[in-house]
Amino acid sequence: MNPAGAFQRGQVSQDRRRGERRGSPSLVAYHWKGFTPCPNHVRDISATGVYVLTDEDWHPGASVNLTLQREGLLESQSDRRCTLSARIIRKAGDGVALEFELSEGAKPRLWYDPLMRPEDAEEPESIVREFRVAEALAFLRRIAPAASRGIEQLFRENLSHFRLSSAVEIALKAKELLAPHPGAEDMVADPELVTRILQSGSWADLDAIRHLWAGLLGTSCSPSEYDGSNLPFVELLGQLTPIQIRILAAVCATSRRPVTAPNLVFMHPAPCTPEELVRATGVRDLIRIQRDISNLADLGLIEQNVTSAFYTPNDEANITPTPLALELYARCSGHRGASRDFYHLLNAEA
């Protein structure tokens, strides 16, 4: 058997499958007309392009942003939709053919999963997920090329659908946070740190928490060399429960009048009533909230000046984040640079 011939036949087969077009009756592609989202039914789609049914006067060569999702109102949940740039190739009587302008290295594997029934592979959720995975992997390969194989195995083989969705959201949000910064395309990150963020963050079940992990991933990237300064913050965030994260985010985001010292930011004590804590955490059990505040203090994230107990709406606790907590929250918010600048800006916007 000729190995080269076998490889070439396999490559041809793979290329054909990448270009294979299939229908997905419930899939739509939204485009924007001003501030109005307009849905277009998808006649067929492949890993490289799509044919949409539309009477819009789109001209060949122009680019348009398409948001793929299941038919219905525009999805508010980011993991249920995927926005891609596409170039118009040709116009026909009932619609237009477009070629996707994917990120370099993005290779969607539509129709590839041998464990999935063909009809399931054609469901909008499967198609959207595959494009999101491909874009996330392309970004992660770019910032941590040495970890490419391990991250792809993590995504393709080791994570459940729930954890995969979380990891993909973290990667895509980090990409979005990095995009406005000069030289973002050339930034790199410590491969081990990237892998740890994806593994730990993939357990997050709330978008707000995934976005904190995304902020850490984004601020782990630097222009020319690996920056390991986020490692302690990855370990800290990984120890926190969702309620503790909500408490910490609330007090860091709402504490005012920062006192700055060289390389540090302090906050004046921030009085907080049980009613405000219930609103921030979504939990009405004040004893549980008090226990979580104590745990945050044990981790060095809250000043040890909280009253020992409070059970009525008239009681107050001075919940003051430590410099460590303030630095953690700034980095998790995607801030690059001195944390004092982040809090000065936060106060200016208040």
Side-chain angles (χ1 to χ4, degrees):
M1 180 177 180
N2 183 343
F7 173 79
Q8 289 168 359
R9 286 192 295 274
Q11 186 65 48
V12 169
S13 174
Q14 178 174 327
D15 289 343
R16 284 175 178 165
R17 295 178 74 179
R18 276 179 55 78
E20 180 184 352
R21 290 183 177 270
R22 295 189 188 180
S24 178
S26 300
L27 183 67
V28 295
Y30 272 90
H31 76 280
W32 291 84
K33 187 182 292 185
F35 294 101
T36 305
C38 304
N40 310 283
H41 280 282
V42 171
R43 191 185 74 182
D44 54 57
I45 188 170
S46 74
T48 57
V50 64
Y51 190 98
V52 300
L53 304 176
T54 181
D55 56 3
E56 293 285 340
D57 189 20
W58 289 348
H59 302 288
S63 292
V64 62
N65 286 332
L66 296 177
T67 297
L68 303 175
Q69 64 161 70
R70 180 177 285 277
E71 62 184 350
L73 296 176
L74 190 64
E75 282 286 355
S76 58
Q77 292 181 250
S78 57
D79 61 342
R80 293 179 174 272
R81 52 180 164 77
C82 181
T83 300
L84 302 170
S85 177
R87 184 168 58 89
I88 299 164
I89 301 300
R90 60 183 173 83
K91 192 176 188 327
D94 60 351
V96 294
L98 304 99
E99 181 181 40
F100 292 126
E101 297 176 318
L102 302 174
S103 300
E104 183 177 354
K107 300 175 182 177
R109 292 169 51 178
L110 297 183
W111 340 125
Y112 272 59
D113 192 340
L115 302 178
M116 187 180 293
R117 297 180 304 172
E119 57 269 31
D120 292 337
E122 294 166 7
E123 286 296 309
E125 290 78 12
S126 298
I127 294 169
V128 167
R129 181 174 60 246
E130 188 50 48
F131 278 107
R132 286 173 58 82
V133 168
E135 286 290 326
L137 284 173
F139 168 69
L140 295 168
R141 290 188 197 102
R142 192 186 84 208
I143 64 169
S148 295
R149 182 173 296 180
I151 291 173
E152 180 145 10
Q153 182 177 13
L154 181 71
F155 275 37
R156 298 294 188 188
E157 300 175 21
N158 298 346
L159 295 181
S160 65
H161 278 179
F162 163 75
R163 291 186 66 197
L164 175 62
S165 178
S166 292
V168 167
E169 177 66 15
I170 289 166
L172 294 180
K173 184 64 179 178
K175 178 184 177 183
E176 180 185 326
L177 290 171
L178 273 183
H181 295 280
E185 292 291 326
D186 298 318
M187 288 187 179
V188 295
D190 184 325
E192 182 179 348
L193 194 57
V194 171
T195 303
R196 290 186 64 173
I197 289 172
L198 295 171
Q199 288 175 330
S200 298
S202 65
W203 292 102
D205 58 355
L206 297 171
D207 269 347
I209 297 176
R210 295 184 189 115
H211 290 179
L212 295 179
W213 282 107
L216 271 186
L217 179 56
T219 53
S220 296
C221 298
S222 58
S224 58
E225 58 185 19
Y226 295 158
D227 179 0
S229 63
N230 268 353
L231 180 57
F233 300 109
V234 171
E235 293 174 347
L236 268 176
L237 188 58
Q239 294 179 62
L240 302 183
T241 67
I243 294 175
Q244 291 166 4
I245 291 173
R246 291 191 196 115
I247 293 171
L248 193 66
V251 297
C252 287
T254 60
S255 292
R256 296 296 175 230
R257 295 175 293 133
V259 180
T260 60
N263 302 318
L264 289 176
V265 178
F266 299 89
M267 289 290 184
H268 287 293
C272 193
T273 66
E275 191 175 67
E276 290 170 329
L277 285 171
V278 166
R279 190 162 53 247
T281 62
V283 174
R284 304 197 65 83
D285 185 343
L286 295 179
I287 296 177
R288 180 179 179 184
I289 292 173
Q290 179 68 47
R291 186 166 58 244
D292 282 315
I293 291 172
S294 297
N295 289 337
L296 288 170
D298 291 340
L299 289 169
L301 297 171
I302 295 291
E303 298 288 357
Q304 294 274 7
N305 60 357
V306 182
T307 54
S308 59
F310 50 89
Y311 301 106
T312 71
N314 296 322
D315 293 328
E316 280 190 349
N318 285 329
I319 305 177
T320 307
T322 64
L324 177 64
L326 294 167
E327 181 70 22
L328 169 64
Y329 184 69
R331 294 195 183 207
C332 285
S333 299
H335 178 73
R336 310 179 65 81
S339 58
R340 62 179 177 272
D341 297 334
F342 173 76
Y343 290 100
H344 279 308
L345 181 61
L346 202 63
N347 275 263
E349 293 174 347

